[in-house]
Amino acid sequence: MTISLLLTALLAPAPAGELTLLDVKAYRTWKIELPADPFQKVSGSIPVPHAGGDGFLVEPRGQGLAVDTDGDGEVDRELNGRKDPDTQVRHAQVVLEGKAVDGGDLRYPVRFKDEGAGWTWASGGALVGQINGVGLQVIDLDGNGSFHDVGRDAVVVGGTGVAHFLGETLAVGDQLMRVTLEDSDRGLFAEPFDGATGTLDLASDFGGKGVMLSAVVQSVDGRQSFELGAHDGKVTVPEGRYRLITAALGLGDARVEVDPARMKAVEVSGDATAKLGWGAPIRATFDYKREGGELTFDPRQVSYVGAGGERWIGWNPIGKSPKFQVKEKDTGDVLVDVVFPGSC
């Protein structure tokens, strides 16, 4: 019986997967678009656990910070930061080093910024590797020192520079892969996904002329997430209900973003294609002020809502202005046409 079991184990096919070893990379200039704001207020320490404690000590020093970079409990480096002349935001960077809780080497890049209300911090690097020749960048989005938190950390697949939440699967090229990141964060195992899938299509029923620069979705249960801009708006995903988290469209040099808070989830089931109707027609609502005989319209008080309930925000430049007509109530005659000045 023992010999039979041993032969069965020896003759069993090896798992059709790939183990990717990951390396830490620090970024001098941060260019990755993240699906959520990673910055947290600096409050006594950077809470990255290591062999010597639960975090790395941080103390205020004038306009800057003093940081314990080696985890011995004593600050050893002062950071004054550099103020951007255009934004007036002060930035600084450091790499924390020491021994990890499991005894391995720890290297954790941190970026700081001060927008005038005190210093905040976020991870300043990523774990990098490849699956099937496609590059990966895994980011500690929630700032707890680990990179394997499904639904809370983030990942970039390929060279898009747009991250989505880390999920249990990744769309790598035209393949859907099941992924597991080791607790030590040093290796990622990927194998073909063998569960039920469907197609999520954000492109076919979109009304508009812009190019989909990015579109991040996440399953309602938080276990899956994908960036569809890199897949022309259509990708195979595990069955489930998905919500749009972030999206950006461009036309020439213009760019606009989406606030999806009021959009409904899309159900993906079986081998069917689930489409999202959004974009045009867009309905604009606005506020105005009336003082004496003057009406005042403010471009910041105009709300643009698309067919899927999404709000279009962050127009850059502001774009072509809507035309406001003031009419005589009884006759309907147009008394004046109003448009926004400047770049509108």
Side-chain angles (χ1 to χ4, degrees), residues 10-181:
L10 291 174
L11 296 175
E18 177 183 352
L19 179 64
T20 297
L21 298 180
L22 303 174
D23 297 316
V24 177
K25 182 174 182 179
Y27 298 111
R28 183 175 296 275
T29 302
W30 189 267
K31 296 181 179 180
I32 299 173
E33 293 185 24
L34 296 171
D37 184 1
F39 280 93
Q40 315 178 34
K41 185 175 180 60
V42 174
S43 182
S45 72
I46 304 301
V48 174
H50 55 94
D54 294 331
F56 291 79
L57 183 66
V58 179
E59 297 177 351
R61 291 286 174 87
Q63 290 186 325
L65 298 167
V67 184
D68 169 20
T69 64
D70 57 12
D72 66 354
E74 301 289 337
V75 295
D76 52 67
R77 182 172 174 186
E78 290 194 17
L79 304 172
N80 291 318
R82 181 184 61 83
K83 181 179 286 189
D84 186 295
D86 297 322
T87 65
Q88 297 299 300
V89 177
R90 190 177 294 275
H91 297 271
Q93 296 172 311
V94 73
V95 176
L96 308 178
E97 297 182 300
K99 288 294 182 183
V101 174
D102 65 0
D105 292 332
L106 173 66
R107 187 167 179 267
Y108 189 96
V110 174
R111 54 193 174 119
F112 297 93
K113 73 175 181 179
D114 182 359
E115 297 178 307
W119 286 98
T120 58
W121 76 277
S123 175
L127 297 179
V128 299
Q130 291 189 340
I131 295 181
N132 295 340
V134 178
L136 296 175
Q137 300 162 281
V138 186
I139 300 104
D140 178 22
L141 184 66
D142 61 3
N144 66 354
S146 72
F147 293 74
H148 57 263
D149 299 316
V150 170
R152 301 199 309 272
D153 287 331
V155 60
V156 180
V157 181
T160 66
V162 179
H164 56 84
F165 289 106
L166 180 65
E168 294 178 354
T169 60
L170 294 177
V172 182
D174 58 358
Q175 279 192 299
L176 185 61
M177 307 290 289
R178 188 190 306 274
V179 295
T180 305
L181 192 62

